[in-house]
Amino acid sequence: MKTVSIVGGSGYGGGELLRLLLAHPCVDVKQVTSRSHLGEYVYQVHPNLRKRTQLKFSDPAILESVDILFLAQPHGQAQHHIEEYAKLAPKIIDLSADFRLRDAAFYEKWYGEKHASPDWLSKFVYGLPELHRLEIGTADYISGVGCNATASNLALLPLIKADLLDVSAPVYVEIKVGSSESGAEGNAGSHHAERANVIRTFSAFGHRHTAEVMQEMGLNNISLTMTAVDLVRGVLATAHARVKQDVATKDLWKAYRAAANENPFLRVVREQRGIYRVPEPKILAGTNYADLGFELDESTGHIVAMCAIDNLMKGASGSAVQCMNLMMGWEETMGLEFMGLHPI
Amino acid sequence: MKTVSIVGGSGYGGGELLRLLLAHPCVDVKQVTSRSHLGEYVYQVHPNLRKRTQLKFSDPAILESVDILFLAQPHGQAQHHIEEYAKLAPKIIDLSADFRLRDAAFYEKWYGEKHASPDWLSKFVYGLPELHRLEIGTADYISGVGCNATASNLALLPLIKADLLDVSAPVYVEIKVGSSESGAEGNAGSHHAERANVIRTFSAFGHRHTAEVMQEMGLNNISLTMTAVDLVRGVLATAHARVKQDVATKDLWKAYRAAANENPFLRVVREQRGIYRVPEPKILAGTNYADLGFELDESTGHIVAMCAIDNLMKGASGSAVQCMNLMMGWEETMGLEFMGLHPI
Amino acid sequence: MKTVSIVGGSGYGGGELLRLLLAHPCVDVKQVTSRSHLGEYVYQVHPNLRKRTQLKFSDPAILESVDILFLAQPHGQAQHHIEEYAKLAPKIIDLSADFRLRDAAFYEKWYGEKHASPDWLSKFVYGLPELHRLEIGTADYISGVGCNATASNLALLPLIKADLLDVSAPVYVEIKVGSSESGAEGNAGSHHAERANVIRTFSAFGHRHTAEVMQEMGLNNISLTMTAVDLVRGVLATAHARVKQDVATKDLWKAYRAAANENPFLRVVREQRGIYRVPEPKILAGTNYADLGFELDESTGHIVAMCAIDNLMKGASGSAVQCMNLMMGWEETMGLEFMGLHPI
Amino acid sequence: MKTVSIVGGSGYGGGELLRLLLAHPCVDVKQVTSRSHLGEYVYQVHPNLRKRTQLKFSDPAILESVDILFLAQPHGQAQHHIEEYAKLAPKIIDLSADFRLRDAAFYEKWYGEKHASPDWLSKFVYGLPELHRLEIGTADYISGVGCNATASNLALLPLIKADLLDVSAPVYVEIKVGSSESGAEGNAGSHHAERANVIRTFSAFGHRHTAEVMQEMGLNNISLTMTAVDLVRGVLATAHARVKQDVATKDLWKAYRAAANENPFLRVVREQRGIYRVPEPKILAGTNYADLGFELDESTGHIVAMCAIDNLMKGASGSAVQCMNLMMGWEETMGLEFMGLHPI
């Protein structure tokens, strides 16, 4: 059994991580910190954990040494304390955005401020196993992934890997998201009376996760457009792009099937009958799956590539646990076996 | 044309009132106040009013004289300023809870504090036309109604009027409500990710609206149990009570039909076929209707009496406009003709 | 008072039309037909109409002559009976898809069957006042509009009118829709337990409404991608396109403001503060507004053009009533004054 | 490893059962039958099972012998074939209503028809472990439980066990339910456009599950009132009853805590702070927990006793697996460890 702690456990990402780690057969959770809920039982904030743990939120200033330290704080915290954290644990997985980008100038461009620990950027591996499985296996420091970036990256992954995309054409990614993306704190617009029933395009351009897609996909001419819909958990990314000349549906099938075969959490959903013919986030709640789909207009080369995930799982805490498994040499799917629910 | 102003226009009740008054053929809206949104266009807060008015929120400290003054502030404000308001307008309708109860001691019991203007309590008429139509017609000061109280009062009204209730048995009113009841400010629990999908009994006993039901129905042994469900607008009150011996379904039909015939906004919904067989709040959004229904177990005398309303309309601003119409001698339904939508 | 009848009144479009016509000051509803609900009160199917009309559904085979006949049947009916209908009424407005396209071959291509009355295609005017106001004013036969086509057409209208679009680039329209689009009959996938919480891309390419956008916008390289979300009423169309070189945000403001000034039901929504900064369908429920918005990436010329409507109003019955007003020489907005609700 | 099969696997109960059995460490699923989906992959109907099983739906007329046979057919099937099924498997768990009641006359009263196999009624044990743990441990035939009955029974269980209820007073149980209760087939009223946003009291009296509560709680004067709300999975039962004289809140605490201590899936939720202070079904989706709560008005003896469950888990398939575990001598919680999600 390895010891683990979570810094920042009262948010949605931290709570989801705790749920996964409590059920994980190889780890023992030592501490979960929260300044605002210090001393409360974690089940008072995350009511699903009632009768499953008697842990209380502890003070983030008093951290014990552990084998693996998870950082689940808001953006901009970890980069100021990474030296201290590194003394406490040989392995660190940071779910925030602080160490996702490899280039300090690129970070500054997208986040509007200088990075506090630019030397650490190169020590972290981007924590998406479908892109960096081998590096993750030997890494000590792993960054989390942006949920919208993950849906976008995985929607495009089979096309990029098989080199089917015409990169001279722009890629427009339309992303629809649930309300858990706005975090546990919420904001004026997340009040249920205002947020229910919405189709609200809160960002047409410039979402910060765009940077991760550019970096990981090697694409420059790409935009992410974000629309909030009435759902709690879930993201669907729909990428509109152009394939290379003469690429046909059968080539896409091959590329997508290869991706699904090589990755335990990727599935291709492209059915001719039934209700669930395409990737849909609702059935992924609580699972680590990324469901992929595509449609091609062979006459124009216009491809609609889709990826559905649970933003708190494959888009955050699930990928983090998957990375932990790889980093520790455990079965990649360990602790991530939940199948999801139907109906839901 | 009569001049009207609204003190407290950025909340949900104030916004709904403004919508109604802007469309009302006999009034002209002079001012709508808001401290927090001072100087903003009202359509920036209430986006449905875009292209319908160029009014901006004005300072509540600088009120002009008008024919009718509506007070739509949070509870506990109006009672401190009622003398000033009365100098500005000969007619006042206060939507808050400040002047709903007739007895200062009863007020103190339920609201936990002494009333600031107890002498004014007797000058106000409780603003539910179905109970006080004649008095409202000659009143200068009218109190608003609690939304949950209104659903409860109207569910019981036909039974009380026809004297069919066995008042020795307790009356348990189960009330299900949407999220607009929590007001425009919201709270931690109204964050969409927490509030969506709920069936949350936030008050088993002691809801303050209980006092209004006791006062208006003359019942002592009555409780209101409040449960939040996933909906924005709407209340369904379901009263479990016992009818007097030998009261049969046909007696109830007679009582309910009489109520519907005497009141333009009451309807009886009790169908044997179709989807909409019972009162449902969803189809009442934006309307001033109260839909009534009932089922009787003749073997035990147990009656299930239902009333559905839109909490912001019949439960607040709609009733206020209905009272204004009566007070001014206008057609009771004026400005309240919207039929509601199906589907919705 | 002009007499009107509705053929096909039990569906959602017919019900909405009936609601509007019952409240319209210049018309008198004679008949509303339904085979499946023959003899039932219309309020048993459309419960919002209770206490507002005692009309019963009549037999579509027994139609009386009227001044204006509305056809609200499923696709493929009207084209077989148009000769008969034309004998009953001098003015006809058909809400179905039967007479929307001007070219019989184009119809056959998109609908997969020969048109039954190709000679009649040229007699109908496409019923979108923002595009054909003058022709509608003198027309006898008006076709309805597709809801998704309308959202798409109005999103692009200011760009096309001001000639700002680079038509050499493809236009990808991402459309998110509510469940009322699937009609009153529904299907396996519209069962609440399957349909709730969805983000379901049910059509990546080839939606029939594409034909109307091609015809009305004069665009060939355009696709509509349809995604169902959890909402009853509402459509948001988001068009990704490229503007001509050197077109800047200020040019777009000018074009959009002009469109809003020339059309009573168009509004531009592009705010820097508040919750409602962009077009959102939820606040349009029951109204005839089309809210327009846009964002431009000046560095690439990529424009995100948005239009939100209520699919049953501006996307169907509301536009039909607006056309009737124009055709009869009445005020264009008559009977369409409802402002919509906030919150909802 | 024991072999199991499911007769009737395309419904919601059967699908949930399959999900649980596929993950159960001690069983091997042989067959899942469906007439309407014969030959299809089970993941085409239950999309959460994609990549988890290659099982196809088989013909219910061609069943192999197994160790444990689960029957998940609609009501009224199992009682006609129980003799045949008993030849195929030594242990049977029937999720339908066919063998829940012990008395044939009582069955006929509530189900309106004679029971086809009355001799078998006494061979079955009612499958609620919290009431019949010991008998289940030695049983061969176990009946499933009604979801609404289970929520009601568990809400009242601590009161009945501790003998705190004044049984001379009526018990009114108000039950709010999600749309998965209407089954995978749905009906006109379950179309999303009609079912979304509802607070719809579809049964004031006479719901068949009442019979199970009468039988199991030994209460005669009890009614169940059913209201549909906007949710997919979940039931909240709220029982209004009267406690015996001088029963105080501390006595209730004792009774509820005892129940929670004796039963692994019962929890008491009664917090003074935070968002989740009372039992709520939403956080139970996919779990086998029953969350209990209560409030007492000590001045009147009026108790509001609550129980929240996932209707497809504790209210159906979860309890069935719990019974299997007990019957086979396995750990009671085996395969039922999922904690549930927050937020959701």
Side-chain angles (χ1 to χ4, degrees):
Chain A
M1 295 291 276
K2 297 294 181 181
T3 55
V4 301
S5 287
I6 301 172
V7 181
S10 61
Y12 290 158
E16 189 73 352
L17 192 55
L18 179 55
R19 173 179 79 81
L20 295 171
L21 295 176
L22 287 172
H24 196 286
C26 299
V27 305
D28 187 26
V29 182
K30 283 293 176 202
Q31 285 181 278
V32 182
T33 76
S34 170
R35 267 202 194 82
S36 51
H37 293 277
L38 188 63
E40 292 179 43
Y41 286 108
V42 296
Y43 67 71
Q44 290 181 293
V45 172
H46 304 300
N48 53 328
L49 305 184
R50 185 182 295 270
K51 215 172 181 173
R52 299 304 280 265
T53 177
Q54 290 300 107
L55 272 173
K56 292 179 176 181
F57 287 113
S58 67
D59 188 339
I62 311 174
L63 284 174
E64 299 167 39
S65 293
V66 286
D67 295 314
I68 311 160
L69 186 64
F70 286 91
L71 308 177
Q73 303 149 293
H75 164 73
Q77 304 290 308
Q79 58 186 278
H80 291 286
H81 302 283
I82 187 63
E83 296 279 358
E84 306 154 42
Y85 293 140
K87 288 173 190 155
L88 291 168
K91 306 274 189 186
I92 292 176
I93 300 179
D94 173 34
L95 276 74
S96 84
D98 281 19
F99 298 101
R100 293 181 194 161
L101 302 183
R102 292 290 72 78
D103 184 85
F106 196 57
Y107 176 89
E108 188 175 341
K109 178 182 170 189
W110 282 91
Y111 286 84
E113 55 181 14
K114 282 206 179 304
H115 197 284
S117 300
D119 295 349
W120 279 82
L121 289 176
S122 60
K123 300 182 185 174
F124 275 78
V125 173
Y126 188 77
L128 193 64
E130 288 74 13
L131 289 171
H132 302 287
R133 187 172 282 111
L134 291 181
E135 299 154 81
I136 290 167
T138 60
D140 291 326
Y141 304 115
I142 292 172
S143 83
V145 293
C147 47
N148 305 306
T150 299
S152 303
N153 282 329
L154 295 177
L156 295 168
L157 176 74
L159 303 170
I160 295 288
K161 289 240 170 165
D163 195 21
L164 300 176
L165 216 56
D166 177 351
V167 295
S168 74
V171 179
Y172 302 148
V173 192
E174 271 265 343
I175 301 179
K176 299 95 180 171
V177 304
S179 57
S180 61
E181 276 214 0
S182 66
E185 296 301 317
N187 52 55
S190 68
H191 179 13
H192 181 275
E194 308 293 349
R195 180 66 175 70
N197 301 312
V198 297
I199 311 178
R200 177 180 295 164
T201 301
F202 61 92
S203 170
F205 297 111
H207 192 284
R208 287 171 167 182
H209 289 184
T210 311
E212 293 171 51
V213 185
M214 288 178 160
Q215 171 182 286
E216 296 299 322
M217 292 291 106
L219 292 169
N220 288 313
N221 195 357
I222 187 166
S223 69
L224 273 59
T225 300
M226 308 294 310
T227 300
V229 298
D230 196 345
L231 179 71
V232 173
R233 278 182 185 236
V235 188
L236 180 73
T238 306
H240 293 267
R242 194 163 68 201
V243 292
K244 287 183 170 168
Q245 205 155 4
D246 298 330
V247 168
T249 296
K250 66 175 167 39
D251 303 310
L252 294 168
W253 262 122
K254 198 174 157 191
Y256 278 82
R257 279 194 181 122
N261 287 338
E262 292 159 15
N263 294 285
F265 292 112
L266 298 192
R267 306 190 291 196
V268 183
V269 184
R270 197 164 184 272
E271 298 288 336
Q272 299 304 314
R273 60 187 298 180
I275 296 171
Y276 295 88
R277 304 179 186 198
V278 289
E280 286 197 35
K282 70 178 278 194
I283 60 154
L284 302 180
T287 84
N288 202 44
Y289 287 113
D291 281 358
L292 309 182
F294 65 91
E295 286 297 326
L296 176 67
D297 180 344
E298 294 191 346
S299 69
T300 61
H302 175 192
I303 182 170
V304 175
M306 291 167 269
C307 175
I309 58 170
D310 176 342
N311 52 301
L312 295 175
M313 284 293 300
K314 188 67 196 158
S317 306
S319 279
V321 170
Q322 189 181 353
C323 286
M324 175 185 75
N325 289 339
L326 290 167
M327 188 166 66
M328 304 304 289
W330 300 331
E331 184 68 34
E332 184 170 348
T333 57
M334 188 175 281
L336 299 168
E337 298 91 350
F338 181 59
M339 297 182 202
L341 302 174
H342 171 247
I344 185 167
Chain B
M1 296 291 277
K2 298 293 180 181
T3 54
V4 301
S5 288
I6 301 172
V7 180
S10 61
Y12 290 159
E16 189 73 351
L17 192 55
L18 179 55
R19 174 180 78 82
L20 295 170
L21 295 176
L22 286 172
H24 196 285
C26 299
V27 305
D28 187 26
V29 182
K30 283 293 176 201
Q31 285 181 278
V32 182
T33 77
S34 169
R35 266 200 195 83
S36 52
H37 292 277
L38 188 62
E40 290 180 45
Y41 285 108
V42 296
Y43 67 72
Q44 290 181 293
V45 171
H46 304 300
N48 52 330
L49 305 183
R50 185 182 295 270
K51 217 172 181 173
R52 299 305 280 266
T53 177
Q54 290 300 107
L55 272 173
K56 292 180 177 180
F57 287 114
S58 67
D59 188 340
I62 312 174
L63 283 174
E64 300 167 38
S65 293
V66 285
D67 295 315
I68 310 160
L69 187 64
F70 287 91
L71 307 177
Q73 304 149 294
H75 165 72
Q77 304 290 309
Q79 59 185 279
H80 292 286
H81 302 284
I82 187 63
E83 295 281 358
E84 306 154 41
Y85 293 141
K87 287 173 190 153
L88 291 168
K91 306 274 188 185
I92 292 176
I93 299 179
D94 174 33
L95 277 74
S96 85
D98 282 17
F99 299 101
R100 293 180 194 162
L101 302 182
R102 293 288 74 77
D103 184 86
F106 197 56
Y107 175 89
E108 188 175 342
K109 178 183 171 190
W110 282 91
Y111 285 84
E113 55 181 13
K114 283 208 179 304
H115 197 283
S117 301
D119 296 349
W120 278 82
L121 290 176
S122 61
K123 300 182 186 174
F124 274 79
V125 174
Y126 188 76
L128 193 65
E130 289 74 13
L131 289 172
H132 302 286
R133 186 171 282 110
L134 291 180
E135 300 153 82
I136 290 167
T138 61
D140 290 327
Y141 304 115
I142 293 172
S143 82
V145 292
C147 47
N148 306 307
T150 298
S152 303
N153 282 329
L154 295 177
L156 295 169
L157 176 75
L159 302 169
I160 295 288
K161 289 240 169 165
D163 196 21
L164 300 176
L165 216 57
D166 177 352
V167 294
S168 75
V171 180
Y172 302 149
V173 192
E174 271 264 343
I175 301 179
K176 298 96 180 169
V177 304
S179 57
S180 60
E181 277 214 2
S182 67
E185 296 302 316
N187 53 54
S190 68
H191 178 11
H192 182 275
E194 308 293 349
R195 179 67 174 70
N197 301 312
V198 297
I199 310 177
R200 178 179 295 165
T201 300
F202 61 92
S203 170
F205 297 111
H207 192 284
R208 288 170 167 182
H209 289 184
T210 311
E212 293 171 51
V213 185
M214 289 178 160
Q215 170 182 286
E216 296 298 323
M217 293 291 107
L219 292 169
N220 287 314
N221 196 356
I222 186 165
S223 69
L224 273 59
T225 300
M226 308 294 310
T227 300
V229 298
D230 196 344
L231 178 71
V232 173
R233 279 182 185 235
V235 188
L236 181 72
T238 306
H240 293 267
R242 194 163 67 201
V243 292
K244 288 183 169 166
Q245 205 154 6
D246 298 330
V247 168
T249 296
K250 65 174 167 41
D251 304 310
L252 294 167
W253 262 122
K254 198 174 157 191
Y256 277 81
R257 281 195 180 119
N261 288 337
E262 291 159 16
N263 294 285
F265 292 112
L266 298 192
R267 305 189 293 196
V268 183
V269 183
R270 196 164 184 272
E271 298 288 336
Q272 300 305 314
R273 60 188 296 180
I275 296 171
Y276 295 89
R277 306 179 185 198
V278 288
E280 286 197 35
K282 68 177 280 193
I283 59 153
L284 303 180
T287 84
N288 202 44
Y289 287 113
D291 280 358
L292 310 182
F294 65 91
E295 286 297 326
L296 177 67
D297 180 343
E298 294 191 346
S299 68
T300 62
H302 175 191
I303 182 170
V304 175
M306 290 168 268
C307 174
I309 58 170
D310 176 342
N311 52 303
L312 295 175
M313 284 292 301
K314 188 66 195 159
S317 306
S319 280
V321 169
Q322 189 180 352
C323 286
M324 175 184 75
N325 289 339
L326 290 167
M327 187 165 65
M328 304 304 289
W330 300 331
E331 182 67 33
E332 185 170 347
T333 57
M334 189 175 282
L336 299 167
E337 298 90 350
F338 181 59
M339 297 182 201
L341 302 174
H342 171 249
I344 187 167
Chain C
M1 295 291 276
K2 297 294 180 181
T3 56
V4 301
S5 287
I6 301 172
V7 181
S10 61
Y12 290 157
E16 189 73 350
L17 192 55
L18 179 54
R19 172 179 79 82
L20 294 171
L21 295 175
L22 286 172
H24 197 285
C26 299
V27 305
D28 187 26
V29 182
K30 282 294 175 201
Q31 286 182 278
V32 182
T33 77
S34 169
R35 266 201 195 83
S36 52
H37 293 277
L38 189 62
E40 292 180 43
Y41 285 108
V42 296
Y43 66 72
Q44 291 181 293
V45 172
H46 304 299
N48 52 329
L49 305 184
R50 185 182 295 270
K51 217 172 180 172
R52 300 305 280 265
T53 177
Q54 290 301 107
L55 272 172
K56 291 178 177 181
F57 287 113
S58 67
D59 188 340
I62 311 175
L63 283 174
E64 300 166 40
S65 293
V66 286
D67 296 314
I68 311 159
L69 187 64
F70 286 91
L71 307 177
Q73 304 149 293
H75 165 73
Q77 304 290 308
Q79 60 185 276
H80 291 286
H81 303 283
I82 187 63
E83 296 279 358
E84 306 154 42
Y85 293 142
K87 289 174 189 153
L88 291 168
K91 307 273 189 186
I92 293 177
I93 299 178
D94 173 34
L95 276 74
S96 87
D98 281 20
F99 298 101
R100 293 180 195 161
L101 302 182
R102 294 287 74 76
D103 183 86
F106 196 57
Y107 175 89
E108 189 174 342
K109 179 183 170 187
W110 281 92
Y111 286 84
E113 56 182 13
K114 282 206 178 305
H115 198 283
S117 300
D119 295 350
W120 278 83
L121 289 175
S122 61
K123 299 182 185 172
F124 274 78
V125 173
Y126 188 77
L128 193 63
E130 288 74 12
L131 289 171
H132 303 286
R133 187 170 282 111
L134 291 180
E135 301 154 81
I136 290 167
T138 61
D140 291 326
Y141 304 115
I142 292 172
S143 82
V145 292
C147 47
N148 306 307
T150 299
S152 304
N153 283 328
L154 295 178
L156 295 169
L157 177 74
L159 303 170
I160 296 288
K161 290 242 169 164
D163 196 22
L164 300 176
L165 216 57
D166 176 352
V167 295
S168 74
V171 179
Y172 302 149
V173 192
E174 272 265 342
I175 301 180
K176 298 96 180 169
V177 304
S179 58
S180 60
E181 277 215 0
S182 67
E185 296 302 317
N187 52 54
S190 68
H191 179 12
H192 182 275
E194 308 292 351
R195 180 65 174 71
N197 301 312
V198 297
I199 311 178
R200 179 179 293 164
T201 301
F202 61 93
S203 171
F205 297 111
H207 192 284
R208 287 169 167 182
H209 289 184
T210 311
E212 293 171 50
V213 185
M214 289 177 159
Q215 171 182 284
E216 296 298 323
M217 293 291 106
L219 292 169
N220 288 315
N221 195 357
I222 186 166
S223 69
L224 273 60
T225 299
M226 308 293 311
T227 299
V229 297
D230 196 344
L231 177 70
V232 173
R233 279 182 184 234
V235 188
L236 179 73
T238 306
H240 293 266
R242 194 163 67 202
V243 291
K244 287 183 170 167
Q245 204 153 6
D246 298 330
V247 169
T249 296
K250 67 175 166 39
D251 304 310
L252 294 167
W253 262 122
K254 198 174 158 192
Y256 278 82
R257 280 195 180 122
N261 287 337
E262 291 159 15
N263 294 285
F265 291 112
L266 298 192
R267 304 190 293 197
V268 183
V269 184
R270 197 165 185 272
E271 298 287 337
Q272 300 305 314
R273 60 189 295 180
I275 297 171
Y276 294 90
R277 305 179 186 198
V278 289
E280 284 197 37
K282 68 177 280 193
I283 59 154
L284 302 180
T287 83
N288 202 44
Y289 288 112
D291 281 356
L292 310 182
F294 65 90
E295 286 296 326
L296 175 67
D297 180 343
E298 294 191 345
S299 68
T300 62
H302 175 192
I303 182 170
V304 175
M306 291 168 268
C307 174
I309 59 171
D310 176 342
N311 53 302
L312 294 175
M313 285 292 301
K314 188 67 196 159
S317 306
S319 279
V321 169
Q322 189 181 354
C323 286
M324 176 185 76
N325 289 338
L326 290 167
M327 187 166 66
M328 304 304 289
W330 300 330
E331 183 68 33
E332 186 170 346
T333 57
M334 189 175 280
L336 299 168
E337 297 90 350
F338 180 58
M339 298 182 203
L341 301 174
H342 171 247
I344 187 167
Chain D
M1 296 291 277
K2 298 293 179 180
T3 55
V4 301
S5 287
I6 301 172
V7 182
S10 61
Y12 289 158
E16 188 73 351
L17 192 55
L18 179 55
R19 173 179 79 83
L20 294 171
L21 296 175
L22 285 173
H24 196 285
C26 299
V27 304
D28 187 26
V29 182
K30 282 294 177 201
Q31 286 181 277
V32 182
T33 77
S34 170
R35 267 199 194 85
S36 53
H37 292 277
L38 189 60
E40 292 179 44
Y41 286 107
V42 296
Y43 67 72
Q44 290 182 292
V45 172
H46 305 300
N48 52 330
L49 306 183
R50 185 183 295 271
K51 217 173 180 172
R52 299 305 281 264
T53 177
Q54 290 300 106
L55 273 172
K56 292 178 177 182
F57 288 114
S58 68
D59 188 341
I62 312 175
L63 283 173
E64 300 167 39
S65 294
V66 286
D67 296 314
I68 310 159
L69 187 63
F70 287 92
L71 307 177
Q73 303 150 294
H75 164 72
Q77 304 289 308
Q79 60 185 277
H80 292 285
H81 303 284
I82 187 63
E83 297 279 357
E84 306 153 43
Y85 293 140
K87 288 172 190 155
L88 291 168
K91 307 274 188 186
I92 293 176
I93 299 178
D94 173 34
L95 277 74
S96 86
D98 281 19
F99 298 101
R100 293 179 194 162
L101 303 182
R102 294 287 74 75
D103 183 86
F106 196 57
Y107 175 89
E108 189 175 342
K109 179 183 169 190
W110 282 91
Y111 286 84
E113 56 181 14
K114 281 206 178 306
H115 197 284
S117 301
D119 296 349
W120 278 82
L121 289 176
S122 61
K123 300 181 185 174
F124 275 78
V125 174
Y126 187 78
L128 193 64
E130 288 74 12
L131 288 171
H132 302 286
R133 186 170 281 110
L134 290 180
E135 302 153 81
I136 291 168
T138 61
D140 290 326
Y141 303 114
I142 292 172
S143 82
V145 292
C147 46
N148 306 307
T150 299
S152 304
N153 282 329
L154 295 178
L156 295 169
L157 178 73
L159 302 171
I160 295 289
K161 289 242 168 163
D163 196 21
L164 300 176
L165 215 58
D166 176 351
V167 295
S168 74
V171 179
Y172 302 148
V173 192
E174 272 265 343
I175 302 179
K176 299 95 180 170
V177 304
S179 58
S180 60
E181 277 215 0
S182 67
E185 296 302 317
N187 52 54
S190 67
H191 178 12
H192 182 276
E194 308 292 351
R195 179 67 174 71
N197 301 312
V198 296
I199 310 177
R200 178 179 293 163
T201 301
F202 62 92
S203 171
F205 297 112
H207 192 283
R208 287 169 166 182
H209 290 183
T210 311
E212 292 171 50
V213 186
M214 288 177 160
Q215 170 182 286
E216 296 298 323
M217 293 291 105
L219 292 169
N220 289 315
N221 195 358
I222 186 166
S223 69
L224 272 59
T225 300
M226 307 294 310
T227 300
V229 298
D230 196 344
L231 178 71
V232 173
R233 279 183 184 235
V235 188
L236 180 73
T238 306
H240 292 267
R242 193 163 66 202
V243 292
K244 287 184 171 167
Q245 205 154 5
D246 298 330
V247 169
T249 297
K250 65 175 168 38
D251 304 309
L252 294 167
W253 262 121
K254 197 173 158 193
Y256 277 81
R257 280 194 181 123
N261 287 337
E262 291 158 16
N263 294 285
F265 293 111
L266 297 192
R267 304 189 293 195
V268 183
V269 184
R270 197 166 184 271
E271 298 288 335
Q272 300 305 314
R273 60 189 294 180
I275 296 171
Y276 294 89
R277 306 180 185 197
V278 289
E280 285 198 37
K282 68 177 281 191
I283 60 154
L284 303 179
T287 84
N288 202 43
Y289 287 113
D291 281 357
L292 309 182
F294 64 91
E295 287 296 327
L296 176 67
D297 180 344
E298 294 192 346
S299 68
T300 62
H302 174 191
I303 183 171
V304 175
M306 291 168 269
C307 173
I309 59 170
D310 176 342
N311 53 302
L312 294 175
M313 285 292 302
K314 188 67 195 160
S317 306
S319 279
V321 169
Q322 189 181 353
C323 286
M324 176 185 75
N325 289 339
L326 291 167
M327 186 166 65
M328 304 305 289
W330 301 330
E331 183 68 32
E332 186 170 347
T333 57
M334 189 174 282
L336 299 167
E337 298 91 348
F338 180 59
M339 298 182 201
L341 302 174
H342 170 248
I344 188 168

